[in-house]
Amino acid sequence: MKTEGTTETITAIHTLVSEAREGRCARVIARLYSGWALFGERQFVRGYALLLPDPVVPTLNALGVEGRSAFLTDMTRLGDALLKVTGAVRINYAMFGNEEPALHAHVIPRYADEPEQLRTRHPWAYDWQAAPVFERAASRELADALLRELERLGVAKPMRFAPGANAPGS
């Protein structure tokens, strides 16, 4: 969608960042220096997360050197936290922007106990539509542990609202 009088396209990433700022996104894990860490809408693997820049930019290349460094550092620190908290064996990182033309990074824990036919395949081989939808209540322990680890790593910033405090149904 384009905003009236501008050529800027408003993407789902813009909407999620706005909801995160207002405490309306139940999927928020933490506010990081470059943006927002949040759980993926579909949890095809436990702890699948996204990093969204704030402010939203179209691509990694649209950031200056310092902005790129902050975003990539936050992305890998989110991966570090996921490794420690979930017991994953590795983290997959992906940035495309083809369907949602705004910078965002997928941070995907991979596990030794994934189904054999999917364990070494790319994450898009999973049936995402069949994956469970993220539910804050069911993921509270994981969310709290990730926030604590991100704070311990020194990359979490204070948030105006607790994650999802103003989300519908909270």
Side-chain angles (χ1 to χ4, degrees), residues 38-75:
L38 58 134
F39 289 103
E41 182 178 12
R42 296 283 182 161
Q43 290 291 294
F44 68 96
V45 291
R46 183 173 163 266
Y48 162 55
L50 298 163
L51 177 60
L52 312 180
D54 189 357
V56 177
V57 296
T59 66
L60 186 63
N61 303 91
L63 294 171
V65 172
E66 288 180 21
R68 289 177 193 189
S69 179
F71 188 82
L72 294 172
T73 297
D74 284 352
M75 181 184 74

Side-chain angles (χ1 to χ4, degrees), residues 128-148:
W128 286 38
Q129 293 307 311
V133 173
F134 174 79
E135 292 182 17
R136 185 92 198 170
S139 300
R140 185 159 315 281
E141 187 176 312
L142 176 59
D144 291 347
L146 284 169
L147 177 57
R148 280 192 306 274

Side-chain angles (χ1 to χ4, degrees), residues 142-164:
L142 176 59
D144 291 347
L146 284 169
L147 177 57
R148 280 192 306 274
E149 183 61 14
L150 289 164
E151 289 171 339
R152 188 191 72 74
L153 291 170
V155 294
K157 289 175 65 174
M159 291 181 278
R160 206 169 80 182
F161 302 103

Side-chain angles (χ1 to χ4, degrees), residues 72-127:
L72 294 172
T73 297
D74 284 352
M75 181 184 74
T76 57
R77 296 305 256 180
L78 177 55
D80 291 340
L82 282 162
L83 279 170
K84 181 170 184 178
V85 170
T86 66
V89 294
R90 76 181 48 77
I91 301 293
N92 289 168
Y93 300 94
M95 286 185 271
F96 299 110
N98 298 326
E99 289 185 30
E100 288 297 330
L103 176 61
H104 61 285
H106 301 265
V107 184
I108 307 158
R110 300 306 298 263
Y111 300 97
D113 64 352
E114 289 180 57
E116 188 175 341
Q117 71 276 18
L118 294 169
R119 191 173 309 130
T120 59
R121 304 227 13 236
H122 61 78
W124 283 259
Y126 275 86
D127 180 355

